[in-house]
Amino acid sequence: MLHYPEPLARLINELQKLPTIGAKTAQRLAFFMLKMPESDTTKLAQALSEVKTHLDYCSVCGNITDQQPCYICTDTRRDRQTVCVIEEPDDLLAIERTQEYKGLYHALMGVLSPLDGVGPKDLRIDQLFQRIHSEDIKEVILATNYTTEGQATALYLTKQLESLEITTTRIAYGIPVGGDLEYIDAVTLAKALEGRRRI
Amino acid sequence: MLHYPEPLARLINELQKLPTIGAKTAQRLAFFMLKMPESDTTKLAQALSEVKTHLDYCSVCGNITDQQPCYICTDTRRDRQTVCVIEEPDDLLAIERTQEYKGLYHALMGVLSPLDGVGPKDLRIDQLFQRIHSEDIKEVILATNYTTEGQATALYLTKQLESLEITTTRIAYGIPVGGDLEYIDAVTLAKALEGRRRI
């Protein structure tokens, strides 16, 4: 019944594909974009395109980067004997925000989830073991989320790491159970890192 | 301290300029966009550019349109003797959604607001009177928001319309005082239109 001009309908439709953007927000954003000066919408459209063309995942740790390897992997001041295993690159930013951690990272790019058909081969687990064998890594901190899948993934990795001469730790409870690392405040996350215990 | 690669930082920065998008949502959206297939981000970027190049405001009523005049102004089945005066084109969509109104529209493109320096000359008020003189308009429905500025604008227009042989009505209370037309549910808005009274 309601008639949007075609270009507007398309923009609203594309915006609705984004997380947290429902029909009303999409409409509101689209109308706002209509009123923005053209220079601003151009900048946004360009930023959107460039983020896809200029950025990639770090071949070593999985961080989002515009250089290979990323600035963390190449930073000689960091503790190269500690690797923090995370689910997604977003989690790396959450941990960096605490300014408590000085080691390296390894993003799995997901989490074990048999129901969704995600097994160990679908994650960057082989790459983790290659790093452990080729680099001088003494401690692996498992910082997957405290969700069922995150816990299962930590348990799986613990078993795989058992035979190696390496300290395996899990970030401490302190993170609310069921919580998503990305949304935890920096102080809690710093405490959880500080209180990590051997498993 | 926190180091985003430059293209990502730029995207997050541009996203934060949008309404309802704060720092965290902008980061979340940017990461989501990073993971989207390139075809989808291209579609979004294109939709964003096209909305600026292919759309314009209707020269008659101010509706957002890809043709001149818009599909409402050219629809011969509509009641051409009734004009509903609204603040913004968004409000037109809210009223169309009720499916109760069959007349024409006139968007003022704002509202009288002396504190912000918006006077009658900054709104499409002259165009409204030109339409009243050249078209066969019998009733003007004032459907500005029930905010201080919206009320003041309605009052101003009422006084200007007094001398003309025209019925001036205001959409009925029923809309919560201080409410913004765009966010009212269709039933309430339909009731408000139905119960409009002469002023």
Side-chain angles (χ1 to χ4, degrees):
Chain A
M1 204 83 278
L2 193 56
H3 179 108
Y4 284 116
E6 220 283 286
L8 187 62
R10 199 161 51 228
L11 179 60
I12 291 174
N13 183 41
E14 292 299 326
L15 286 170
Q16 278 192 61
K17 293 181 184 168
L18 301 175
T20 74
I21 311 273
K24 284 215 166 176
T25 311
Q27 189 198 306
R28 192 173 172 193
L29 289 176
F31 275 100
F32 183 88
M33 288 167 176
L34 259 176
K35 282 183 220 161
M36 278 163 75
E38 191 159 350
S39 61
D40 278 4
T41 53
T42 308
K43 264 196 259 174
L44 178 55
Q46 266 176 0
L48 186 58
S49 307
E50 279 173 16
V51 98
K52 295 299 288 184
T53 50
H54 291 9
L55 289 184
D56 205 354
Y57 295 112
C58 172
S59 55
V60 179
C61 76
N63 187 14
I64 290 152
T65 184
D66 49 3
Q67 59 182 73
Q68 288 293 356
C70 78
Y71 80 103
I72 292 179
C73 289
T74 51
D75 187 343
T76 51
R77 291 162 305 177
R78 295 190 76 114
D79 167 14
R80 311 193 69 84
Q81 304 196 315
T82 312
V83 170
C84 181
V85 174
I86 49 179
E87 294 181 13
E88 301 280 353
D90 322 25
D91 300 328
L92 183 154
L93 289 169
I95 293 178
E96 282 297 286
R97 224 175 276 134
T98 71
Q99 300 182 34
E100 287 286 324
Y101 180 66
K102 298 294 168 214
L104 305 177
Y105 291 95
H106 191 88
L108 297 174
M109 299 295 170
V111 74
L112 291 178
S113 178
L115 285 177
D116 301 316
V118 182
K121 293 285 159 214
D122 301 309
L123 303 177
R124 294 179 71 250
I125 290 178
D126 280 350
Q127 287 95 320
L128 174 63
F129 283 91
Q130 279 164 25
R131 286 182 70 180
I132 291 170
H133 288 127
S134 63
E135 301 174 28
D136 183 29
I137 291 163
K138 298 269 190 278
E139 180 180 357
V140 172
I141 304 174
L142 301 174
T144 51
N145 291 325
Y146 266 116
T147 54
T148 316
E149 292 87 358
Q151 284 283 46
T153 308
L155 206 67
Y156 174 86
L157 288 175
T158 308
K159 282 189 181 153
Q160 299 289 310
L161 291 162
E162 248 169 21
S163 55
L164 303 174
E165 297 222 336
I166 224 166
T167 306
T168 309
T169 55
R170 178 88 170 105
I171 50 167
Y173 275 103
I175 299 177
V177 173
D180 196 337
L181 223 71
E182 200 182 337
Y183 300 106
I184 309 293
D185 66 274
V187 180
T188 311
L189 198 52
K191 277 212 188 308
L193 270 167
E194 186 196 323
R196 67 185 187 265
R197 65 207 161 67
R198 185 183 294 253
I199 38 177
Chain B
M1 204 83 279
L2 193 56
H3 178 109
Y4 285 117
E6 217 278 330
L8 187 62
R10 197 160 53 227
L11 180 59
I12 291 173
N13 184 41
E14 292 298 327
L15 286 170
Q16 279 192 61
K17 294 181 185 168
L18 301 175
T20 75
I21 310 272
K24 284 215 165 179
T25 310
Q27 189 198 308
R28 192 175 172 191
L29 288 177
F31 274 100
F32 183 88
M33 287 166 174
L34 258 177
K35 283 183 215 160
M36 277 163 77
E38 192 159 350
S39 60
D40 278 4
T41 52
T42 308
K43 264 194 262 176
L44 178 55
Q46 268 176 359
L48 187 58
S49 307
E50 280 175 14
V51 99
K52 294 300 287 186
T53 49
H54 291 10
L55 290 185
D56 205 353
Y57 296 112
C58 172
S59 55
V60 179
C61 76
N63 187 14
I64 290 152
T65 185
D66 49 1
Q67 60 184 73
Q68 288 295 357
C70 79
Y71 79 104
I72 291 179
C73 290
T74 51
D75 187 344
T76 51
R77 289 161 307 177
R78 295 192 77 115
D79 168 13
R80 311 193 70 83
Q81 305 196 315
T82 312
V83 169
C84 182
V85 174
I86 48 178
E87 294 182 14
E88 302 280 351
D90 322 26
D91 301 327
L92 183 155
L93 289 168
I95 294 178
E96 282 297 285
R97 223 175 276 132
T98 70
Q99 300 181 34
E100 288 286 324
Y101 181 68
K102 298 295 167 215
L104 304 177
Y105 291 95
H106 191 87
L108 298 173
M109 299 297 169
V111 75
L112 291 179
S113 178
L115 284 177
D116 301 317
V118 181
K121 292 285 161 213
D122 303 310
L123 303 177
R124 294 178 73 251
I125 289 178
D126 281 349
Q127 288 93 324
L128 175 63
F129 283 91
Q130 278 164 26
R131 285 181 72 181
I132 291 170
H133 289 126
S134 63
E135 299 174 30
D136 182 27
I137 291 166
K138 297 267 188 280
E139 179 179 357
V140 172
I141 305 173
L142 300 175
T144 51
N145 291 325
Y146 265 115
T147 54
T148 316
E149 291 88 358
Q151 285 282 49
T153 309
L155 207 66
Y156 174 86
L157 289 175
T158 308
K159 282 189 182 152
Q160 299 292 308
L161 291 162
E162 250 169 20
S163 56
L164 304 173
E165 296 222 337
I166 223 167
T167 308
T168 308
T169 54
R170 177 89 169 104
I171 50 168
Y173 275 103
I175 298 176
V177 173
D180 195 338
L181 223 73
E182 199 181 337
Y183 300 107
I184 310 292
D185 65 274
V187 180
T188 311
L189 198 51
K191 277 212 187 312
L193 271 167
E194 187 195 323
R196 69 184 185 264
R197 65 207 162 70
R198 185 184 295 255
I199 37 179

